[in-house]
Amino acid sequence: MRSVKPTDASVLVVAEGDTDGARNHTRGHLFEMFIGRLFNAFGYQDPSWRERNVTSNGIELDLKVSHTLSNKPAIIECKAYTSAVKIGPLTQFYGKFSALRRRSPELHAFMVVTPRLTAEANEFYETIRLDDPDFRVLDANDVYESLVDRQIIHPFHDNDSYTDPTIVVAEHGVYSAAIELGEGARAARVVLRATGSLSVPELVLDLVRETEFARGLDVSDWHVASTSDLKRTIETPPDAEDFIAVVAGSTNNFEYQLPASPKFFVGRREAIRQAGEAFAKSGSVIVLNAQSGWGKSSLALRLKKMTEDSGGAALVVDTRTVATTRFVSSVLRKFGEQAAIDGYVELPSKPSWASLTSSLRTLSDSTWLNRGPLFLMFDQFENVF
C-alpha cells in the first residue's frame, strides 16, 4: 500500500478536562511527550523541558536533549500553532543557538514548527540551512513522514479520496487522520487510524469530533468504518511487504537519526570476532544484548555486510512493525523466497508459510546450495513475543 504524500500535514493534540485551563495543561504535557517520542526515534535521550506555554494560538516548548550515542547536546524549540510560524520566532531561536554555540561548539538545534513556516520565514531558513547543518527546521510534513517511516503511524491510500493528513496526539496514543471524501451522495467524513489492526478508542474519536478539524463531519475509526479494509486487516493480514521494514543505515558520519552504516562503523572488534566464529558454524543463533542506544542495530548492519562480503545473503528486520501473529512467518517467507530467487536454496515443491511451524518445516525441507551463509536478524526482537 502506497501512502498519501502530506502536501500540508498538521498536528492535532486533543485532551480531556473540565475547564479550558485543564485541557490546555494536558495538551501541553501530551505534546511534550510526543516530541520526546519523536526525538527518541532520532536517537536522542528523553528531553528535559525548560519552558512550556499553551495559549489559544497553540503550544510552545523549549527543551534540551543529548544524543544517545555521541552524547552531543541539542536544543529544541517547538511552535505548534494554528497558522504558519512567522520569521520572528525563527530568527530569535537561531540567534539564541548561535550565541550558545560559542560556548558549546558541538551544540545542535532543532526547531519544530506546525503546520509550517511562512514564505518569508522559509526563505530565511533556506539561506542558512545549507551552510549550517547543525541547525534544522522540521515542519508538520517532516514530522508526518518521519513517523510513517518509523511505523509509528500508518498513512492512508495514495489516491484522491483522502485529504488533510493529520497526526492526532492523545493520551491513549498517536494516530493518523485524514478527511475521506465521499463518493456520489455519500458525505465526507474524518477517519482515524491506529497502528496495525488496533482500534481507535471511542474517547479519542469523541475528542476529535469537538475540534475545528472535524468541521462537524462524522468521525470514524478507519478499520471499523471500512468493512473491506476491516476484513483484509483482521481476517487475512497483508503479505509481508505491508508490515516488514528493513533496518536502514546512515548516509554520512553525522546522521545520528539512523544506525551507523558499515562504512561508518567503528569498534566492537570482540563482538565481530565472536560473530565470525558463530558464522563458521552451521545453524548458529546470535543474540545481541545491550542497553538502548549502545549500537545493536549498527552492529547488526555490520554483520549483514560481513555476510554479504563472504558471498551470502542477509536481512535485518525492524520488529517495531509487528502487527499480527503472522509476522515471523511472513519474514521467513520473504527471506526464504528471496534466497531461492538468488540461488541460495531450492524450496520444496509445495512450500507452506501459513504458520511458524510450517515455515520452519519448509526451510528444513529446502535444498541448500552452499553458495554462502544466510543471515537473518530481528532487530528489537522482543517485540515479536
Side-chain angles (χ1 to χ4, degrees):
M1 181 181 71
R2 295 181 301 164
S3 62
V4 64
K5 295 180 181 179
T7 54
D8 196 8
S10 61
V11 178
L12 178 65
V13 184
V14 295
E16 293 182 277
D18 296 332
T19 64
D20 289 342
R23 282 190 292 270
N24 285 340
H25 176 80
T26 304
R27 288 176 61 242
H29 180 65
L30 290 174
F31 187 68
E32 178 190 337
M33 294 176 63
F34 168 70
I35 294 298
R37 184 177 182 184
L38 175 66
F39 278 87
N40 281 162
F42 291 157
Y44 287 89
Q45 297 173 343
D46 292 335
S48 58
W49 63 275
R50 296 185 292 182
E51 184 177 354
R52 182 175 67 203
N53 185 33
V54 184
T55 67
S56 58
N57 188 44
I59 305 172
E60 299 176 343
L61 289 179
D62 184 9
L63 312 99
K64 61 184 297 186
V65 295
S66 60
H67 196 270
T68 305
L69 294 180
S70 66
N71 206 35
K72 290 185 177 180
I75 57 174
I76 305 169
E77 190 164 293
C78 304
K79 305 288 186 183
Y81 291 166
T82 56
S83 58
V85 178
K86 297 180 179 179
I87 191 173
L90 175 62
T91 57
Q92 291 173 10
F93 181 55
Y94 188 67
K96 179 173 70 172
F97 165 59
S98 300
L100 292 173
R101 191 164 46 177
R102 295 177 182 175
R103 293 181 308 207
S104 180
E106 293 186 334
L107 185 67
H108 287 66
F110 297 90
M111 188 171 187
V112 181
V113 297
T114 67
R116 62 191 177 279
L117 293 171
T118 62
E120 183 185 18
N122 189 67
E123 184 178 355
F124 173 75
Y125 174 56
E126 290 297 324
T127 62
I128 63 174
R129 72 181 186 89
L130 295 179
D131 296 329
D132 195 347
D134 295 337
F135 182 79
R136 176 80 186 274
V137 173
L138 302 175
D139 63 17
N141 291 347
D142 297 320
V143 174
Y144 186 96
E145 291 170 350
S146 296
L147 297 181
V148 170
D149 290 342
R150 289 159 177 79
Q151 300 291 326
I152 296 175
I153 62 173
H154 283 311
F156 293 89
H157 296 286
D158 185 8
N159 55 44
D160 295 333
S161 299
Y162 297 95
T163 66
D164 297 62
T166 300
I167 305 162
V168 176
V169 180
E171 184 177 1
H172 299 76
V174 179
Y175 310 90
S176 58
I179 295 178
E180 183 183 29
L181 302 179
E183 298 179 2
R186 186 165 63 88
R189 63 184 176 186
V190 175
V191 286
L192 275 72
R193 185 176 183 184
T195 55
S197 58
L198 299 176
S199 61
V200 180
E202 187 62 34
L203 176 59
V204 175
L205 299 177
D206 287 339
L207 291 173
V208 172
R209 290 185 183 106
E210 298 174 358
T211 65
E212 182 65 25
F213 170 68
R215 306 171 192 172
L217 299 175
D218 178 52
V219 179
S220 305
D221 183 340
W222 181 81
H223 285 300
V224 176
S226 175
T227 304
S228 60
D229 285 338
L230 177 67
K231 181 177 181 180
R232 179 180 64 82
T233 304
I234 298 179
E235 296 182 5
T236 55
D239 289 336
E241 287 75 16
D242 283 335
F243 287 92
I244 297 172
V246 177
V247 175
S250 60
T251 57
N252 60 64
N253 230 338
F254 301 99
E255 187 177 6
Y256 303 117
Q257 298 94 334
L258 296 173
S261 293
K263 70 176 182 178
F264 304 120
F265 184 88
V266 295
R268 297 288 189 267
R269 294 181 179 179
E270 179 61 20
I272 294 174
R273 184 191 66 78
Q274 293 178 8
E277 294 178 351
F279 283 177
K281 303 176 183 178
S282 177
S284 297
V285 176
I286 299 174
V287 178
L288 305 182
N289 183 27
Q291 295 183 21
S292 176
W294 281 28
K296 298 186 294 297
S297 299
S298 300
L299 179 56
L301 293 178
R302 179 67 178 87
L303 299 181
K304 176 179 181 289
K305 182 66 164 54
M306 286 176 53
T307 303
E308 295 169 342
D309 288 345
S310 62
L315 178 67
V316 181
V317 174
D318 188 339
T319 66
R320 288 176 296 182
T321 64
V322 170
T324 73
T325 57
R326 289 181 52 187
F327 181 82
V328 175
S329 57
S330 295
V331 172
L332 293 176
R333 177 177 183 173
K334 178 184 179 72
F335 194 44
E337 290 181 344
Q338 188 60 52
I341 293 173
D342 295 340
Y344 291 94
V345 300
E346 290 181 0
L347 298 175
S349 58
K350 294 183 178 181
S352 174
W353 310 97
S355 66
L356 179 58
T357 301
S358 63
S359 299
L360 293 174
R361 185 182 302 114
T362 293
L363 294 176
S364 178
D365 294 341
S366 299
T367 301
W368 298 79
L369 304 180
N370 296 321
R371 280 192 51 201
L374 298 180
F375 174 66
L376 175 60
M377 172 67 75
F378 290 90
D379 192 21
Q380 301 192 41
F381 75 95
E382 65 273 11
N383 290 313
V384 304
F385 294 118

